[in-house]
Amino acid sequence: MNQQRPPSLAMTSASSTAAPVLNVGFILADNFTLSAFSLMVDQFRLAADDGDRSRPILARWQVMSSRQEPIRASCGITVAPSGPLADPTNFHYIIVVGGLLHGGQQLDEESIAYLKRAARAGVPLVGVCTGSFVLARAGLMTGRRCCVSWYHYQDFMEEFPHHTPVADRLYVIDGDRITCAGGGGAADLATALVEKFLGRSVAQKSRHVLLLDRQRPGTESQPHPPIADLVADDRVRRALLMMEQHLADPLPIADIARRLQLSTRQLERLFQTVMGQRPAEFYRRLRLRYARFLLDTTGRSVTDIALEAGFSDCAHFSRQFKAQHGFTPSDARARAPVAVQSVAGQRLFE
């Protein structure tokens, strides 16, 4: 990452004229996620000064926009930009905070062009929440690992099939690109950036004032819906995430073990201890559960659902489905027909 100190910017505080040690520019997408933005900016604010006086001495932040009007968050609250799109080389990081995926255009063309100019200048770009989608749409994540929320993993795969999303981490640093799943992970990323420039004690002070507990590294697993909620072992949690992310194209158990830096036998023993069953058995049940979800909520053919759930053919799928449920996929629909509805935005564990 570019760690060079940027040129001095005029300070807003009359009592401080020195250039900040850490300088951050925010770009907020239309319908951005307020919590991700506030968790980050408050840590920079508290790190910048003694106590809670908020003077931008050690750190500075500003919200930039190509337009003068306030930017609306997904919750309806608006944030007024503090200035136009400034010289990108003034900043250590430019952070794009995303939000609603399907609420219209997230950034205008002027802002996208600005991000591309910043990338050419070597300024590290950060995508938070669906900010990763913004960067990918701008062509700025090609060849980079990209962290997305487990909730938006399938959305990302459908829109960017040639990218490699990571959804079992809080955030990922890949050179001068940083992507964060959002939510509470935004606080952990902000802590890491503060610690990098201002030291551990300053970073801890910010978290303590905000009543935030242990800082989590970017490699820690994302919190997850019920399938993993009660699983304490991080390796099993990550294995479960990988399984959910590869329902249509099941990973060999040996590949999952390798990604976790375990042997296949170690993963088998670990799964048996934590989940009470072998990983292959659990994986199969998970895919059958997904198939049942599709049968109940869509009008797709049984053959299409079989392929979507990672089964090689309809006959094999039907045998496995009947062995688990006691009736065939066709019988499942006959027993409880449902109105056809879009599954856009739904998730298996809701």
Side-chain angles (χ1 to χ4, degrees):
M1 290 182 289
N2 180 4
Q3 301 178 29
Q4 298 300 313
R5 183 170 178 170
S8 174
L9 290 178
M11 301 297 290
T12 57
S13 171
S15 62
S16 177
T17 58
V21 177
L22 173 61
N23 205 350
V24 177
F26 283 97
I27 294 180
L28 307 180
D30 288 336
N31 291 305
F32 71 95
T33 304
L34 183 62
S35 58
F37 169 62
S38 60
L39 279 169
M40 297 196 81
V41 75
D42 255 0
Q43 287 200 71
F44 298 143
R45 175 182 69 85
L46 290 165
D49 195 5
D50 293 331
D52 190 23
R53 292 189 286 179
S54 302
R55 295 175 301 172
I57 298 173
L58 297 178
R60 180 183 171 126
W61 56 95
Q62 68 180 86
V63 175
M64 302 182 292
S65 178
S66 61
R67 307 187 302 269
Q68 294 183 352
E69 58 264 26
I71 307 153
R72 184 184 184 279
S74 57
C75 64
I77 292 174
T78 59
V79 173
S82 49
L85 300 171
D87 182 349
T89 60
N90 285 337
F91 303 103
H92 291 102
Y93 300 99
I94 294 174
I95 301 175
V96 180
V97 182
L100 294 183
L101 273 185
H102 309 297
Q105 186 181 27
Q106 290 186 293
L107 289 182
D108 59 21
E109 292 302 320
E110 185 177 350
S111 300
I112 296 297
Y114 175 80
L115 291 173
K116 292 179 179 179
R117 182 155 60 95
R120 288 194 297 271
V123 179
L125 301 178
V126 183
V128 177
C129 191
T130 61
S132 55
F133 284 75
V134 174
L135 297 180
R137 287 168 182 163
L140 297 173
M141 293 303 298
T142 303
R144 309 291 187 110
R145 291 181 302 142
C146 187
C147 183
V148 298
S149 165
W150 64 266
Y151 191 85
H152 288 302
Y153 177 86
Q154 195 61 41
D155 296 308
F156 195 92
M157 286 295 294
E158 290 172 2
E159 187 169 350
F160 309 106
H162 303 299
H163 284 62
T164 306
V166 177
D168 64 343
R169 298 286 192 278
L170 296 177
Y171 59 86
V172 169
I173 300 174
D174 191 341
D176 55 5
R177 299 288 187 279
I178 304 175
T179 45
C180 174
D188 297 293
L189 174 57
T191 301
L193 299 182
V194 170
E195 182 174 337
K196 180 181 181 64
F197 280 83
L198 303 177
R200 184 169 181 78
S201 62
V202 174
Q204 287 178 330
K205 174 247 184 177
S206 295
R207 292 187 71 88
H208 290 164
V209 173
L210 292 171
L211 305 182
L212 295 174
D213 201 356
R214 176 185 66 91
Q215 178 190 354
R216 298 172 297 176
T219 54
E220 187 155 318
S221 295
Q222 294 180 22
H224 204 251
I227 187 175
D229 257 2
L230 302 179
V231 178
D233 191 287
D234 189 64
R235 295 164 297 180
V236 175
R237 288 171 65 89
R238 289 170 57 195
L240 296 175
L241 286 168
M242 291 182 209
M243 288 177 181
E244 188 202 334
Q245 293 156 16
H246 292 272
L247 295 173
D249 56 336
L251 293 171
I253 299 303
D255 282 2
I256 296 176
R258 177 179 52 78
R259 295 185 187 194
L260 296 173
Q261 298 182 327
L262 297 171
S263 69
T264 303
R265 181 170 294 182
Q266 285 175 317
L267 181 60
E268 295 269 359
R269 287 199 299 264
L270 187 62
F271 236 82
Q272 191 68 48
T273 300
V274 175
M275 304 299 294
Q277 55 190 300
R278 297 173 58 245
E281 178 186 0
F282 184 91
Y283 204 173
R284 182 176 63 256
R285 288 177 177 271
L286 178 62
R287 291 188 289 121
L288 288 168
R289 182 179 177 182
Y290 179 48
R292 179 66 187 272
F293 170 79
L294 294 177
L295 284 167
D296 289 346
T297 59
T298 78
R300 295 170 63 177
S301 71
V302 172
T303 299
D304 282 348
I305 289 174
L307 296 175
E308 178 71 17
F311 292 91
S312 57
D313 59 71
C314 191
H316 175 59
F317 165 61
S318 295
R319 287 194 300 271
Q320 294 287 331
F321 190 94
K322 186 174 183 179
Q324 175 158 318
H325 296 291
F327 46 84
T328 67
S330 299
D331 290 338
R333 280 207 167 136
R335 287 170 174 233
V338 295
V340 176
Q341 58 181 311
S342 168
V343 294
Q346 296 186 15
R347 287 299 180 273
L348 175 57
F349 301 108
E350 289 185 332

